[in-house]
């Protein structure tokens, strides 16, 4: 190895060690076994080329660029997701998840030696590598809808003498050939629990999944019963994965209603509810459950005001709220066959009446017939998935 190669190797070890210590210090990584996996399966081996989230579509960090290899290496150990593939809309479709997110998922999975695991969403292969080091390659299966991701992940894992089963297929359908599993871990977000997964987990086994709508969601852990129903709850830990790419959950831009929301006349009034309330994680989760199909966004009118838009692509309903310095009352206009802002205000009032419940206060039940409901102790009624 050249002098440069030796120096980069030492730097990689230092950066990986610092990353692990940071995860331990923040109590994100607590198990000695998972710590050993992070030590043995370094992150930079799975991200030879990437952009950072705050520079998507901009400069790429590339290990093949010898003049900037140290810069690439340092960037690979930042506490951010590394975007490894973008689509034609410049939207990231594959990433190497943020280290804190990966550690959170692995610790929350409850996976221990002797368990068999199905990972949904191979991506770069880093999480599959960590699982394989901890559980043994024979115990790990990982699937991804993108064949190129699977091929590249296999090459990276082979280089570390890790040989989990990798397959290119629709993760929404699980992977029947190696079922049943003790654990299913999804490193992509979904709007509901895929029914096929319930039949691929042993009774007493678990499903760990980020259940997420268009503007909020949370990590959920469910235990599967002998009748292929499942029950569990949302966890205190928060992650935010890219949506699973599947024919059952199309990854596409939903019909854009923002232009209508800004330009069309509708029913006018004022509101005292600041759209910034949706930045609060606890209310955003409650609102997502209560208004499952909605999208949010901001539109700036050239030479005019900026609007916060709330839209429902399925009913073609919309609402716009003018942003600015208004403290007590903001103009709001609504159109379509629903009054979305009225519904959001009602959800906020209900959330406050319920003493501002946290996501972890909600339970989830999936019947063997496919019905999926979310409940909150002390609240009447249920909410239904998908988000």
């Amino acid at each position: 190895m050249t002098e440069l190669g030796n120096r980069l190797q030492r730097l990689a070890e230092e950066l990986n060690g610092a990353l692990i210590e940071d995860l331990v210090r923040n109590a994100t990584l607590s198990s000695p076994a998972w710590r050993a996996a992070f030590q043995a399966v370094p992150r930079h081996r799975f991200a030879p080329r990437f952009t950072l989230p705050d520079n998507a579509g901009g400069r790429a960090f590339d290990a093949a660029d010898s003049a900037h290899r140290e810069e690439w290496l340092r960037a690979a150990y930042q506490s951010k997701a590394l975007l490894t593939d973008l689509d034609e809309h410049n939207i990231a479709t594959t990433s190497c998840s943020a280290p804190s997110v990966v550690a959170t998922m692995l610790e929350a999975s409850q996976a221990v030696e002797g368990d068999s695991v199905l990972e949904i969403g191979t991506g770069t292969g880093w999480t599959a590598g960590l699982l394989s080091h901890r559980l043994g390659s024979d115990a790990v299966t990982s699937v991804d809808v993108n064949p190129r991701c699977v091929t590249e992940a296999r090459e990276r894992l082979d280089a570390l003498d890790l040989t989990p089963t990798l397959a290119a297929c629709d993760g929404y359908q699980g992977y029947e050939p190696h079922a049943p599993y003790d654990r299913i871990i999804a490193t992509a977000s979904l709007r509901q629990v895929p029914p096929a997964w319930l039949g691929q987990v042993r009774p007493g086994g678990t499903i760990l999944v980020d259940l997420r709508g268009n503007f909020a969601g949370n990590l959920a852990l469910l235990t599967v019963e002998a009748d292929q129903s499942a029950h569990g709850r949302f966890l205190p830990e928060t992650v935010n994965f890219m949506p699973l790419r599947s024919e059952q959950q199309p990854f596409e831009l939903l019909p854009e209603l923002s232009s209508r929301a800004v330009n069309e006349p509708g029913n006018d009034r004022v509101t005292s509810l600041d759209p910034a309330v949706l930045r609060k994680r606890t209310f955003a989760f409650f609102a997502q459950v209560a208004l499952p199909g909605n999208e949010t966004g901001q539109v700036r009118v050239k030479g005019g005001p900026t609007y916060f838009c709330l839209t429902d692509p399925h009913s073609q309903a919309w609402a716009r709220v003018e942003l600015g310095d208004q403290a007590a009352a903001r103009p709001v206009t609504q159109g379509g066959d629903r009054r979305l802002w009225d519904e959001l205000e009602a959800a906020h009032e209900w959330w406050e009446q319920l003493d501002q419940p946290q996501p972890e206060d909600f339970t989830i039940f999936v019947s063997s017939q496919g019905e999926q409901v979310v409940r909150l102790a002390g609240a009447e009624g249920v909410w239904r998935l998908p988000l």
Side-chain angles (χ1 to χ4, degrees), residues 161-345:
D161 294 324
L162 299 170
T163 57
T165 297
L166 304 182
C169 62
D170 185 346
Y172 199 91
Q173 303 301 330
Y175 190 71
E176 185 65 37
H178 286 184
Y181 306 95
D182 296 293
R183 319 283 176 194
I184 291 182
I185 302 172
T187 52
S189 69
L190 291 100
R191 294 192 289 270
Q192 64 180 352
V193 180
W197 294 6
L198 300 175
Q200 296 180 26
V201 178
R202 291 188 179 93
T206 58
I207 294 172
L208 182 65
V209 58
D210 180 30
L211 291 173
R212 183 165 299 277
N214 291 313
F215 57 88
N218 217 74
L219 193 61
L221 181 67
L222 299 95
T223 299
V224 178
E225 304 293 343
D227 66 353
Q228 296 185 6
S229 64
H231 70 278
R233 65 173 53 251
F234 291 90
L235 303 181
E237 295 83 3
T238 301
V239 299
N240 192 352
F241 285 112
M242 295 176 185
L244 180 74
R245 297 172 69 88
S246 167
E247 292 182 359
Q248 301 296 320
Q249 181 177 274
F251 185 81
E252 61 185 2
L253 297 176
L254 294 173
E256 186 60 65
L257 286 177
S258 294
S259 60
R260 284 181 56 191
V262 169
N263 295 315
E264 287 195 7
N267 297 103
D268 298 316
R269 63 178 180 86
V270 295
T271 180
S272 60
L273 184 66
D274 188 341
V277 71
L278 283 170
R279 297 176 190 164
K280 179 176 286 190
R281 166 181 167 260
T282 52
F283 174 65
F285 176 83
F286 188 88
Q288 182 68 80
V289 173
L291 287 79
N294 290 4
E295 293 185 84
T296 63
Q298 289 190 16
V299 176
R300 181 184 298 276
V301 177
K302 186 176 181 179
T306 298
Y307 293 102
F308 174 88
C309 298
L310 185 64
T311 60
D312 178 6
H314 305 289
S315 70
Q316 300 295 299
W318 53 268
R320 66 173 180 260
V321 179
E322 185 175 337
L323 301 178
D325 298 328
Q326 303 97 329
R330 300 171 184 273
V332 56
T333 305
Q334 303 178 87
D337 58 4
R338 293 172 60 192
R339 295 294 176 261
L340 297 183
W341 197 257
D342 293 0
E343 293 179 24
L344 185 66
E345 287 177 328

Side-chain angles (χ1 to χ4, degrees), residues 140 152 384:
V140 178
E152 293 176 351
R384 302 187 185 279

